[in-house]
Amino acid sequence: MATLKVSSSVPSPSEDAEQLKTAFEGWGTNEDLIISILAHRSAEQRKLIRQTYHEVFGEDLLKTLDKELSSDFERAILLWTLEPGERDALLANEATKRWTSSNQVLMEVACTRTSTQLLHARQAYHARYKKSIEEDVAHHTTGDFRKLLVSLVSSYRYEGDEVNMTLAKQEAKLIHEKIKDKHYNDEDVIRILSTRSKAQINATFNRYQDNHGEEILKSLEEGDDDDKFLQLLRSTIQCLTRPELYFVDVLRSAINKTGTDEGALTRIVTTRAEIDLKVIGEEFQRRNSIPLEKAIAKDTRGDYEKMLVALLGEDDA
């Protein structure tokens, strides 16, 4: 469930555009006004605001926001204001240009979106960067990482609930044999993870647990803790089966260590607020004994904190 709170009586896009223009004028930017508008509009409403702002004022709202704002607050506002496909394309492109934890971001975008959402991201990537996400991921990665990640970002999974239990039994057996032999990079393992529907994958891993007495992630814990590919494989499986647990782990790492990882925190809140951030927040509280909004408020300040708390549905608007 989403945490985004949209008023039942939303002003027209032209009224919102006028208000945003007002927020940029004068001696200082009115950040509270910007938050009160953008943090309480759906993706479709934000899209119309952007279009209207350009039509009325002849300016790109994103460029104006970039000029008027700064730091982590600017990043949160810009990511949020982008259309979801544009945002995912930007996150993926940034991930192909750096090395620290970037494979996790690529996997996250590929595995936690629906087939249609991932397709929109790939189309937005074409429009924005004049090339495909697949070619950039292939250029950015090597070896087993390339095999897995190119397959994942290229995927267009079936979204239905139907499962083939005979196939689940066969593939659970196959995967168990590969894990037992530590052949984590096997082509069949990658094929199953990158092509099967999420319902089918869940059925396969349920059968795996029934047959072998432990979850597949538990089996994978027996591998080398320093094996980066194995870490990515574990995260892939978690994203495909229990994405809320993956996001809780990322959030806990982002706000519980010395120095907040604002990049990860901003990414999760802005990409999940309209989808399942309520579920993620509930799981976070269950595992950490503190509400997510309080954990974020302890680690953030100022307009950045206000924006994140608003997207969590915990402000007064």
Side-chain angles (χ1 to χ4, degrees):
M1 293 174 62
T3 54
L4 173 67
K5 286 186 178 177
V6 179
S7 170
S8 56
S9 56
V10 174
S12 68
S14 59
E15 289 176 277
D16 279 341
E18 290 279 0
Q19 284 291 299
L20 287 170
K21 184 68 172 177
T22 301
F24 303 138
E25 293 174 340
W27 288 105
T29 304
N30 188 338
E31 289 87 354
D32 287 342
L33 181 56
I34 294 170
I35 294 170
S36 72
I37 297 170
L38 294 178
H40 297 284
R41 301 293 185 269
S42 68
E44 185 59 33
Q45 289 166 339
R46 299 192 304 275
K47 178 181 177 181
L48 290 174
I49 291 169
R50 282 175 62 189
Q51 291 174 349
T52 305
Y53 193 92
H54 186 266
E55 290 167 3
V56 174
F57 303 111
E59 300 171 6
D60 184 333
L61 177 59
L62 290 172
K63 288 183 179 177
T64 304
L65 289 166
D66 184 40
K67 182 176 68 175
E68 295 288 337
L69 308 178
S70 62
S71 193
D72 298 317
F73 175 55
E74 175 195 356
R75 171 74 171 179
I77 284 282
L78 290 177
L79 279 182
W80 177 245
T81 307
L82 287 167
E83 291 181 50
E86 290 180 298
R87 182 170 57 223
D88 284 341
L90 174 66
L91 291 170
N93 181 260
E94 288 175 345
T96 64
K97 293 179 176 176
R98 64 179 195 272
W99 297 100
T100 54
S101 71
S102 58
N103 288 338
Q104 289 282 134
V105 175
L106 291 169
M107 178 281 303
E108 179 187 303
V109 169
C111 295
T112 64
R113 279 36 167 186
T114 65
S115 295
T116 301
Q117 288 167 348
L118 182 56
L119 178 61
H120 287 164
R122 289 159 64 188
Q123 291 170 333
Y125 204 99
H126 287 181
R128 187 173 185 130
Y129 302 109
K130 311 307 177 190
K131 50 187 171 178
S132 74
I133 187 172
E134 294 89 341
E135 65 183 293
D136 273 356
V137 171
H139 180 73
H140 165 73
T141 54
T142 58
D144 294 335
F145 293 97
R146 178 185 289 167
K147 281 172 22 182
L148 177 61
L149 289 168
V150 171
S151 296
L152 290 175
V153 299
S154 306
S155 182
Y156 190 76
R157 302 174 194 275
Y158 174 62
E159 290 286 340
D161 295 328
E162 296 85 356
V163 297
N164 182 329
M165 295 309 297
T166 302
L167 183 64
K169 178 182 177 181
Q170 293 170 348
E171 295 189 336
K173 181 174 183 290
L174 184 154
I175 290 172
H176 180 259
E177 291 170 352
K178 301 303 180 184
I179 290 176
K180 184 178 65 176
D181 295 334
K182 294 185 169 24
H183 293 164
Y184 307 122
N185 60 350
D186 184 85
E187 288 185 4
D188 280 328
V189 173
I190 292 175
R191 172 183 58 80
I192 292 166
L193 293 178
S194 60
T195 64
R196 298 296 185 212
S197 72
K198 292 176 182 178
Q200 183 68 40
I201 287 173
N202 270 293
T204 297
F205 292 155
N206 287 338
R207 188 57 187 253
Y208 182 102
Q209 184 172 353
D210 291 342
N211 289 352
H212 305 291
E214 66 178 6
E215 293 184 0
I216 184 169
L217 289 174
K218 186 72 174 175
S219 299
L220 290 171
E221 286 177 4
E222 297 168 10
D224 182 358
D225 285 341
D226 294 327
D227 186 333
K228 297 297 184 186
F229 179 77
L230 182 55
Q231 291 174 18
L232 183 64
L233 194 68
R234 290 190 196 115
S235 294
T236 299
I237 291 170
Q238 196 173 43
C239 279
L240 291 170
T241 57
R242 295 288 303 280
E244 69 278 9
L245 300 185
Y246 165 82
F247 287 123
V248 167
D249 286 344
V250 174
L251 286 169
R252 184 164 50 190
S253 175
I255 60 184
N256 279 7
K257 63 184 182 182
T258 305
T260 308
D261 182 352
E262 290 87 0
L265 177 57
T266 302
R267 185 181 79 247
I268 304 306
V269 173
T270 56
T271 60
R272 309 313 294 183
E274 289 183 275
I275 302 172
D276 57 359
L277 191 55
K278 185 174 178 60
V279 176
I280 295 166
E282 290 168 353
E283 187 64 30
F284 184 94
Q285 182 167 354
R286 192 177 74 80
R287 292 184 161 225
N288 299 280
S289 303
I290 182 174
L292 179 57
E293 65 273 13
K294 287 190 176 179
I296 288 176
K298 281 175 61 178
D299 257 35
T300 57
R301 297 289 180 272
D303 295 317
Y304 178 54
E305 176 193 343
K306 291 178 187 176
M307 180 63 183
L308 296 185
V309 169
L311 293 181
L312 283 162
E314 297 294 335
D315 62 346
D316 296 329

